[in-house]
Amino acid sequence: MNKVYGRIVGLFLLIVLISSAVIYFTVDINTITNLYMFKPWSVIMAILAMIIGLVLDGTRLMHMVRISDENITLEQAVQVVFGNYFLAMLGPGAAAGAIAQVMFLRKAGIPGGKAAVLALVRTLVSIMFLACCLPFIFLHDEGILPGVSNDLMVYVAGSVAVLMVLLAYGIKKNAFDYLAVIITKKLPRKWSRKFVEMYRDSKEAVKLLASSPLSMVRVFFESGLSLIFIYMIVPFLMLGLGVSVDWLTVMGRMMFLNILLYFSPTPGGSGIAEGGFVYLFSSSVPSGTVGILAVSWRFIAEYLPFFVGLYYTITVFGKSVLNKDLDEEESA
């Protein structure tokens, strides 16, 4: 069995195991009673919010491609978005998703070098939006990390946001070139090549961000709007349980959780996402429902797009793409 098929099977088993464990350890005597009151219309609203968010994700990608003096259609952009969901679930963090984005962008006629930079920019802009929101999230909500002072969290989050800006400015001004050379010389050959490629793409990404400031401001807010709609899945599901939703708190905690998932070492953040959700929202929903809510959120937000991404991957590249090694595709 090749690696892609093996990872799909492994992911399926992991999802079943984690979902079963989350539900098992969070149900209680009140679960059935509370679920009996659930309103099906909330699922429709959650799926609609996800669709709007993913379409906005596609349009922002179109605008980023246009900044790079290339063009793709909305259909091609949506294929990139869903392809990202497919491979992102098969690898840790955002690495595998970036491979999918490059594959689909190259198929759409974008040169390989630009495709890699655009994939990086797409991720960076989302992280930048969430990083800018973090200080305000911690100012509003003191219950995210009990035992840690709110002032400290605001200071840390603000420092991270400023550091990201300074880092981007330093890269643009070639301030880290000498340090990059030193690091490259100390790394093994295999890793030094990957580091050079990553640093080169980062420089190109920063240049692209700075090349059209007004257009990037539009992309920045479009990215935020896309994420907000996707995170609205959770409050809509909560409304279905008859919960009085504090939208600012719920959306803030979803932003906090999802920025952590960008750096998750597990495929698609599996395990960390569900555990983090239970931790953050166990006191916000009726007794015994937080685990089921966590699994429902993951199914709508991640697993449905995963299967659509699988469909697009086979449709665009053929079934033979599943016989390829992801590591080989990354180095292609």
Side-chain angles (χ1 to χ4, degrees):
M1 182 181 292
N2 65 67
K3 287 190 176 181
V4 176
Y5 279 113
R7 291 184 187 184
I8 291 176
V9 172
L11 174 66
F12 176 76
L13 294 175
L14 181 64
I15 289 172
V16 171
L17 178 63
I18 291 174
S19 299
S20 301
V22 168
I23 293 174
Y24 177 79
F25 287 109
T26 55
V27 296
D28 62 23
I29 196 171
N30 301 304
T31 300
I32 301 299
T33 302
N34 289 325
L35 289 179
Y36 180 75
M37 304 298 293
F38 185 76
K39 307 296 189 300
W41 59 260
S42 68
V43 176
I44 297 174
M45 294 301 296
I47 293 175
L48 181 61
M50 180 198 68
I51 292 172
I52 295 173
L54 294 180
V55 170
L56 286 170
D57 198 356
T59 58
R60 69 147 178 171
L61 178 61
M62 290 175 63
H63 298 146
M64 281 190 283
V65 171
R66 197 170 299 151
I67 294 172
S68 70
D69 297 322
E70 303 286 347
N71 280 290
I72 59 173
T73 65
L74 179 59
E75 181 182 6
Q76 291 170 326
V78 170
Q79 288 175 355
V80 174
V81 172
F82 280 111
N84 171 66
Y85 273 92
F86 170 54
L87 282 190
M89 290 296 293
L90 300 181
I99 299 172
Q101 293 176 61
V102 173
M103 288 170 55
F104 278 93
L105 285 169
R106 288 170 61 183
K107 189 69 174 181
I110 307 299
K114 281 188 178 180
V117 171
L118 287 166
L120 180 59
V121 170
R122 181 177 175 274
T123 302
L124 287 177
V125 173
S126 296
I127 293 176
M128 286 173 63
F129 176 82
L130 294 175
C132 290
C133 291
L134 279 182
F136 302 101
I137 292 170
F138 291 129
L139 279 173
H140 171 76
D141 185 3
E142 296 186 8
I144 293 183
L145 291 175
V148 181
S149 103
N150 223 38
D151 291 339
L152 176 62
M153 294 305 298
V154 171
Y155 174 78
V156 171
S159 299
V160 170
V162 172
L163 184 61
M164 289 180 65
V165 174
L166 293 177
L167 186 62
Y169 181 79
I171 291 175
K172 181 176 181 293
K173 293 296 183 179
N174 304 318
F176 303 112
D177 287 2
Y178 180 70
L179 179 61
V181 171
I182 295 176
I183 294 174
T184 302
K185 290 180 178 179
K186 292 184 177 296
L187 290 173
R189 170 175 268 183
K190 177 184 176 181
W191 292 104
S192 65
R193 183 174 67 86
K194 289 183 177 293
F195 177 79
V196 169
E197 290 174 353
M198 182 190 70
Y199 184 71
R200 179 200 62 206
D201 290 345
S202 298
K203 291 186 69 172
E204 292 301 320
V206 170
K207 288 179 181 178
L208 180 62
L209 287 168
S211 64
S212 184
L214 290 179
S215 295
M216 285 310 304
V217 168
R218 173 183 177 177
V219 168
F220 178 82
F221 284 105
E222 201 168 13
S223 300
L225 195 58
S226 169
L227 293 173
I228 286 171
F229 268 101
I230 292 173
Y231 300 159
M232 284 170 66
I233 293 171
V234 172
F236 277 130
L237 291 177
M238 287 181 172
L239 288 172
L241 290 169
V243 175
S244 179
V245 176
D246 181 345
W247 283 78
L248 284 178
T249 299
V250 172
M251 296 297 285
R253 293 191 176 196
M254 286 303 299
M255 290 181 179
F256 173 71
L257 175 58
N258 277 270
I259 199 170
L260 297 180
L261 295 182
Y262 274 103
F263 309 99
S264 166
T266 61
S270 298
I272 296 175
E274 290 85 354
F277 187 96
V278 170
Y279 174 78
L280 291 172
F281 295 107
S282 58
S283 61
S284 304
V285 295
S287 177
T289 61
V290 67
I292 296 173
L293 191 61
V295 173
S296 301
W297 160 59
R298 288 289 283 173
F299 181 79
I300 295 174
E302 298 289 340
Y303 306 147
L304 282 181
F306 169 84
F307 287 112
V308 176
L310 173 59
Y311 165 77
Y312 275 130
T313 300
I314 294 175
T315 301
V316 174
F317 297 101
K319 292 183 179 179
S320 61
V321 72
L322 297 181
N323 295 319
K324 294 182 179 179
D325 189 322
L326 289 181
D327 298 325
E328 292 175 359
E329 187 65 41
E330 182 180 14
S331 60

